[in-house]
Amino acid sequence: MITIAVIGAGAVGSYYGALLARAGHDVRFLLRRDLETVHKDGLRIHSPQGDFHLPTVTAYASPAEIGPVDWVICSLKATALDSARDLIAPCLGPETKVVALMNGYGLERQFAEWFGPERVFGAMAFVCINRGDPGVVHHLDYGRVSIGHVQDDPGKLEKLHALFASSGIDVVSAPNLLYARWEKLGWNIPFNGLSVAAGGLGTATILADPLLRATAERAMREVVAAGNADLAASGSDTRLDIEEIVERLFALTATMGEYRTSMVIDYLSGRELEVEAILREPSHRAAILGVSVPTIDALYALVRAAEFRRRGLITPLTP
Amino acid sequence: MITIAVIGAGAVGSYYGALLARAGHDVRFLLRRDLETVHKDGLRIHSPQGDFHLPTVTAYASPAEIGPVDWVICSLKATALDSARDLIAPCLGPETKVVALMNGYGLERQFAEWFGPERVFGAMAFVCINRGDPGVVHHLDYGRVSIGHVQDDPGKLEKLHALFASSGIDVVSAPNLLYARWEKLGWNIPFNGLSVAAGGLGTATILADPLLRATAERAMREVVAAGNADLAASGSDTRLDIEEIVERLFALTATMGEYRTSMVIDYLSGRELEVEAILREPSHRAAILGVSVPTIDALYALVRAAEFRRRGLITPLTP
């Protein structure tokens, strides 16, 4: 039996962990807020693909209780990256693989430094999902997971692909990890960025406003340009097709309705925003690569200003 | 005696009109909100250069009562441009000159179309100023007025220069009007734009935040690039010196303290913003000239979104 630790069981970790558990794998969740409820009532997933309930869920309050496993799936918020090392380490045996199922640029490099590159994978979930009450996840739509290995080892990647596919997860092996990261950022930067910078908007409102929509497209094109420069710098021949990405991601977003990005959910509920992972790191990488990304930079500055206002680090004027 | 009509007596119109009246000119104000108070108590100017009080002020509720004058100074908000023609026309005689003492790009072209180019001037006030109670203006700092003639006629410009200078106004004749407009936009676009887009901030707060400051500088550089392309397209040899402008305007802004831009004052008090004049028109002109101004475009989209949110034209998410 394959053993899996899910570190950071927010909406994404709970959902995919539940799919893996439903498929019969030995999934052990690290929980904090929901631990008691999940011990008592299990995990409930509401989904257009069929609701399901796991009445008995293995969950712990500390990674030491989980112990070494075959796979660690780390789905912490990017803002908790600093704590990831200590949370993951107790779950590592000599052969344990680590999957960063998280938002943002550069995570896997950090993981590779800590744990060795041969065992580190990245995973990007294209999924519309929210947390409900403790122990409840609302899966709204989509669910595809794009995966890559830090060293782009196809043999290693095949194992993760098989694990996800056997659990009914729509999984795609990316041509390479860097490509997959930038493709995901192609959606995250414009829509997470604008949803907060424009004052708390859903995606349908952004698309319906011609100026905001044009701003989203400019940001998306800047992401692709930076991504292609990054791919070139890494020695890869793979490139993102800018027109294909713009057309596909806008068409996809148009089917989402008034979707709340993860960043706007954090913003509205007073939680820390993933500004560094989604905006700062790509902006810095673009600067190092010599790619001009003024729209991304403006979104970065304004999203951070929004967070700083809320935290009282900058003070707005009073009427 | 020189007769002057001041159309649109907000802070700027009231202040410069009061200086002209104090110098002994026959100044006739068109007032709405403050008419009764000003008839009764006159105009009071609080200024670090010395407070003064005009106990008797000539003021009317309609331009027909003002009648034809030598000079019309139009200091309406740019959002009231559509009403300017009807408000100015009754004050025009065959020799009347019209000065657009207003924010924004392209105003004089509109005035020239209506009234003939030979009599139209533009004026840009670099002044920190707010309205107080009815009939009261708070002049905080600066006050220089940069002037130009639509056809860049030096003889005509000299007459306006003499009028302002003789009234104690710090006046500078710009090398040409287009140059002066873009120079003013070099401050207005970054600081008016960010003050609202970043959620209602004063200039010191913008300068103190490295990311917002960098965004302001990028916007300023885009303005200068668009301005220089516009000057070239107009056949002028004059150019804006980008490094000189960035250095001078940031140094100037640093002396202003937590200054409230006119746009943030409008934003905080629920009045219409000068989005079109300060952001849309320059952005459109840059697009026509083929100059990329992504930071300006992002500020335009986000300031308009802020105004649309307030007017209920776009609906933010609720937590």
Side-chain angles (χ1 to χ4, degrees), chain A residues 125-156:
Chain A
F126 293 85
V127 62
C128 293
I129 202 162
N130 291 326
R131 278 177 103 168
D133 292 330
V136 179
V137 172
H138 295 277
H139 172 230
L140 307 174
D141 208 351
Y142 312 102
R144 175 169 289 182
V145 177
S146 179
I147 58 171
H149 179 255
V150 160
Q151 299 172 315
D152 291 320
D153 180 320
K156 293 210 166 80

Short mmCIF file of all heavy atoms in Angstrom, two decimals, chain A residues 125-156:
data_model
loop_
_atom_site.label_atom_id
_atom_site.label_comp_id
_atom_site.label_asym_id
_atom_site.label_seq_id
_atom_site.Cartn_x
_atom_site.Cartn_y
_atom_site.Cartn_z
N ALA A 125 -2.34 22.77 -9.77
CA ALA A 125 -3.75 22.38 -9.89
C ALA A 125 -4.54 23.49 -10.58
O ALA A 125 -4.52 24.64 -10.14
CB ALA A 125 -4.33 22.13 -8.50
N PHE A 126 -5.18 23.14 -11.68
CA PHE A 126 -6.11 24.07 -12.33
C PHE A 126 -7.50 23.69 -11.85
O PHE A 126 -8.18 22.88 -12.47
CB PHE A 126 -5.99 23.97 -13.85
CG PHE A 126 -4.67 24.43 -14.38
CD1 PHE A 126 -3.58 23.57 -14.42
CD2 PHE A 126 -4.49 25.73 -14.83
CE1 PHE A 126 -2.35 23.99 -14.89
CE2 PHE A 126 -3.27 26.15 -15.30
CZ PHE A 126 -2.18 25.28 -15.33
N VAL A 127 -7.89 24.25 -10.74
CA VAL A 127 -9.12 23.79 -10.09
C VAL A 127 -9.81 24.97 -9.41
O VAL A 127 -9.15 25.85 -8.85
CB VAL A 127 -8.78 22.68 -9.07
CG1 VAL A 127 -7.87 23.18 -7.96
CG2 VAL A 127 -10.04 22.04 -8.49
N CYS A 128 -11.14 25.00 -9.53
CA CYS A 128 -11.93 26.01 -8.83
C CYS A 128 -12.46 25.36 -7.56
O CYS A 128 -13.28 24.44 -7.61
CB CYS A 128 -13.09 26.48 -9.68
SG CYS A 128 -12.55 27.40 -11.13
N ILE A 129 -11.99 25.83 -6.44
CA ILE A 129 -12.23 25.10 -5.19
C ILE A 129 -12.23 26.07 -4.03
O ILE A 129 -11.52 27.07 -4.04
CB ILE A 129 -11.12 24.02 -5.03
CG1 ILE A 129 -11.55 22.90 -4.11
CG2 ILE A 129 -9.82 24.62 -4.59
CD1 ILE A 129 -10.69 21.67 -4.30
N ASN A 130 -13.08 25.83 -3.04
CA ASN A 130 -13.12 26.65 -1.83
C ASN A 130 -13.27 25.76 -0.61
O ASN A 130 -13.86 24.69 -0.69
CB ASN A 130 -14.33 27.60 -1.84
CG ASN A 130 -14.21 28.67 -2.89
OD1 ASN A 130 -13.12 29.15 -3.18
ND2 ASN A 130 -15.35 29.06 -3.45
N ARG A 131 -12.80 26.23 0.52
CA ARG A 131 -13.11 25.54 1.77
C ARG A 131 -14.48 25.95 2.26
O ARG A 131 -14.88 27.12 2.12
CB ARG A 131 -12.11 25.95 2.85
CG ARG A 131 -10.83 25.21 2.78
CD ARG A 131 -9.90 25.73 3.82
NE ARG A 131 -9.82 24.84 4.96
CZ ARG A 131 -8.89 24.98 5.90
NH1 ARG A 131 -8.03 25.97 5.85
NH2 ARG A 131 -8.83 24.13 6.89
N GLY A 132 -15.18 25.01 2.87
CA GLY A 132 -16.45 25.34 3.52
C GLY A 132 -16.25 25.29 5.02
O GLY A 132 -15.23 25.72 5.55
N ASP A 133 -17.22 24.75 5.74
CA ASP A 133 -17.08 24.51 7.17
C ASP A 133 -15.92 23.55 7.40
O ASP A 133 -15.47 22.88 6.47
CB ASP A 133 -18.37 23.88 7.71
CG ASP A 133 -19.54 24.87 7.67
OD1 ASP A 133 -19.28 26.07 7.79
OD2 ASP A 133 -20.68 24.40 7.47
N PRO A 134 -15.43 23.43 8.64
CA PRO A 134 -14.36 22.47 8.93
C PRO A 134 -14.71 21.08 8.38
O PRO A 134 -15.84 20.60 8.56
CB PRO A 134 -14.30 22.47 10.46
CG PRO A 134 -14.74 23.84 10.84
CD PRO A 134 -15.78 24.23 9.82
N GLY A 135 -13.75 20.48 7.68
CA GLY A 135 -13.98 19.15 7.14
C GLY A 135 -14.77 19.11 5.85
O GLY A 135 -15.08 18.03 5.35
N VAL A 136 -15.10 20.28 5.29
CA VAL A 136 -15.92 20.33 4.07
C VAL A 136 -15.19 21.12 2.98
O VAL A 136 -14.66 22.20 3.24
CB VAL A 136 -17.29 20.98 4.35
CG1 VAL A 136 -18.12 21.05 3.07
CG2 VAL A 136 -18.04 20.22 5.44
N VAL A 137 -15.14 20.55 1.78
CA VAL A 137 -14.52 21.22 0.64
C VAL A 137 -15.54 21.34 -0.48
O VAL A 137 -16.25 20.37 -0.78
CB VAL A 137 -13.28 20.44 0.15
CG1 VAL A 137 -12.75 21.03 -1.15
CG2 VAL A 137 -12.19 20.44 1.21
N HIS A 138 -15.63 22.55 -1.06
CA HIS A 138 -16.51 22.74 -2.20
C HIS A 138 -15.68 22.75 -3.48
O HIS A 138 -14.98 23.74 -3.76
CB HIS A 138 -17.28 24.05 -2.06
CG HIS A 138 -18.22 24.05 -0.90
ND1 HIS A 138 -19.48 23.50 -0.97
CD2 HIS A 138 -18.07 24.48 0.38
CE1 HIS A 138 -20.08 23.61 0.21
NE2 HIS A 138 -19.24 24.20 1.05
N HIS A 139 -15.77 21.66 -4.22
CA HIS A 139 -15.12 21.63 -5.52
C HIS A 139 -16.12 22.14 -6.54
O HIS A 139 -17.21 21.59 -6.70
CB HIS A 139 -14.70 20.19 -5.85
CG HIS A 139 -14.20 20.03 -7.26
ND1 HIS A 139 -14.65 19.05 -8.11
CD2 HIS A 139 -13.31 20.77 -7.97
CE1 HIS A 139 -14.05 19.17 -9.28
NE2 HIS A 139 -13.24 20.19 -9.22
N LEU A 140 -15.76 23.23 -7.23
CA LEU A 140 -16.71 23.90 -8.12
C LEU A 140 -16.58 23.44 -9.56
O LEU A 140 -17.56 23.21 -10.25
CB LEU A 140 -16.52 25.42 -8.05
CG LEU A 140 -16.56 26.03 -6.65
CD1 LEU A 140 -16.21 27.51 -6.70
CD2 LEU A 140 -17.92 25.83 -6.02
N ASP A 141 -15.33 23.33 -10.03
CA ASP A 141 -15.14 22.98 -11.43
C ASP A 141 -13.66 22.65 -11.69
O ASP A 141 -12.81 22.97 -10.88
CB ASP A 141 -15.58 24.15 -12.33
CG ASP A 141 -16.05 23.66 -13.70
OD1 ASP A 141 -15.89 22.46 -14.01
OD2 ASP A 141 -16.59 24.48 -14.46
N TYR A 142 -13.42 22.03 -12.83
CA TYR A 142 -12.07 21.68 -13.28
C TYR A 142 -11.40 20.75 -12.27
O TYR A 142 -12.07 20.17 -11.42
CB TYR A 142 -11.22 22.91 -13.57
CG TYR A 142 -11.98 23.90 -14.42
CD1 TYR A 142 -12.55 25.03 -13.87
CD2 TYR A 142 -12.19 23.63 -15.78
CE1 TYR A 142 -13.30 25.91 -14.64
CE2 TYR A 142 -12.93 24.51 -16.55
CZ TYR A 142 -13.48 25.65 -15.98
OH TYR A 142 -14.22 26.50 -16.73
N GLY A 143 -10.09 20.61 -12.37
CA GLY A 143 -9.42 19.72 -11.45
C GLY A 143 -8.12 19.17 -12.01
O GLY A 143 -7.40 18.44 -11.32
N ARG A 144 -7.81 19.55 -13.25
CA ARG A 144 -6.60 19.02 -13.86
C ARG A 144 -5.36 19.42 -13.07
O ARG A 144 -5.22 20.55 -12.62
CB ARG A 144 -6.48 19.52 -15.30
CG ARG A 144 -5.16 19.10 -15.97
CD ARG A 144 -5.19 19.36 -17.44
NE ARG A 144 -6.10 18.44 -18.12
CZ ARG A 144 -6.29 18.43 -19.45
NH1 ARG A 144 -5.65 19.30 -20.22
NH2 ARG A 144 -7.11 17.57 -20.00
N VAL A 145 -4.45 18.45 -12.92
CA VAL A 145 -3.17 18.72 -12.26
C VAL A 145 -2.06 18.50 -13.28
O VAL A 145 -1.99 17.47 -13.93
CB VAL A 145 -2.97 17.79 -11.05
CG1 VAL A 145 -1.60 18.02 -10.43
CG2 VAL A 145 -4.06 18.01 -10.02
N SER A 146 -1.23 19.53 -13.40
CA SER A 146 -0.08 19.45 -14.29
C SER A 146 1.14 19.17 -13.42
O SER A 146 1.33 19.84 -12.40
CB SER A 146 0.03 20.79 -15.02
OG SER A 146 1.12 20.79 -15.88
N ILE A 147 1.94 18.16 -13.78
CA ILE A 147 3.05 17.78 -12.90
C ILE A 147 4.38 17.81 -13.66
O ILE A 147 4.44 17.67 -14.88
CB ILE A 147 2.85 16.37 -12.31
CG1 ILE A 147 2.70 15.33 -13.44
CG2 ILE A 147 1.67 16.33 -11.37
CD1 ILE A 147 2.72 13.88 -12.96
N GLY A 148 5.45 18.03 -12.89
CA GLY A 148 6.79 18.00 -13.46
C GLY A 148 7.79 17.57 -12.40
O GLY A 148 7.51 17.68 -11.20
N HIS A 149 8.93 17.08 -12.84
CA HIS A 149 10.01 16.71 -11.92
C HIS A 149 11.11 17.77 -12.03
O HIS A 149 11.36 18.31 -13.10
CB HIS A 149 10.56 15.32 -12.28
CG HIS A 149 11.68 14.88 -11.40
ND1 HIS A 149 13.00 14.87 -11.80
CD2 HIS A 149 11.67 14.46 -10.11
CE1 HIS A 149 13.77 14.45 -10.80
NE2 HIS A 149 12.99 14.18 -9.78
N VAL A 150 11.72 18.09 -10.89
CA VAL A 150 12.71 19.18 -10.86
C VAL A 150 13.83 18.96 -11.88
O VAL A 150 14.33 19.90 -12.48
CB VAL A 150 13.28 19.34 -9.43
CG1 VAL A 150 14.61 20.06 -9.45
CG2 VAL A 150 12.29 20.08 -8.55
N GLN A 151 14.24 17.70 -12.06
CA GLN A 151 15.30 17.42 -13.04
C GLN A 151 14.71 16.93 -14.36
O GLN A 151 15.43 16.42 -15.22
CB GLN A 151 16.26 16.38 -12.47
CG GLN A 151 16.95 16.88 -11.19
CD GLN A 151 17.76 15.81 -10.50
OE1 GLN A 151 17.30 14.67 -10.34
NE2 GLN A 151 18.97 16.17 -10.08
N ASP A 152 13.39 17.08 -14.48
CA ASP A 152 12.67 16.63 -15.68
C ASP A 152 13.00 15.18 -16.03
O ASP A 152 13.21 14.83 -17.20
CB ASP A 152 12.96 17.57 -16.87
CG ASP A 152 12.32 18.95 -16.65
OD1 ASP A 152 11.18 19.01 -16.14
OD2 ASP A 152 12.96 19.97 -16.98
N ASP A 153 13.01 14.33 -14.99
CA ASP A 153 13.29 12.90 -15.19
C ASP A 153 11.99 12.19 -15.56
O ASP A 153 11.08 12.06 -14.73
CB ASP A 153 13.87 12.33 -13.88
CG ASP A 153 14.21 10.84 -13.98
OD1 ASP A 153 13.43 10.09 -14.62
OD2 ASP A 153 15.23 10.46 -13.40
N PRO A 154 11.84 11.71 -16.80
CA PRO A 154 10.56 11.14 -17.23
C PRO A 154 10.21 9.86 -16.47
O PRO A 154 9.03 9.59 -16.22
CB PRO A 154 10.75 10.87 -18.73
CG PRO A 154 12.22 10.99 -19.00
CD PRO A 154 12.86 11.72 -17.88
N GLY A 155 11.21 9.07 -16.10
CA GLY A 155 10.93 7.84 -15.36
C GLY A 155 10.31 8.14 -14.01
O GLY A 155 9.31 7.55 -13.60
N LYS A 156 10.90 9.10 -13.29
CA LYS A 156 10.36 9.48 -11.98
C LYS A 156 8.97 10.09 -12.12
O LYS A 156 8.07 9.83 -11.33
CB LYS A 156 11.31 10.49 -11.31
CG LYS A 156 12.66 9.91 -10.93
CD LYS A 156 13.22 10.63 -9.70
CE LYS A 156 14.39 9.88 -9.08
NZ LYS A 156 15.66 10.10 -9.79
#
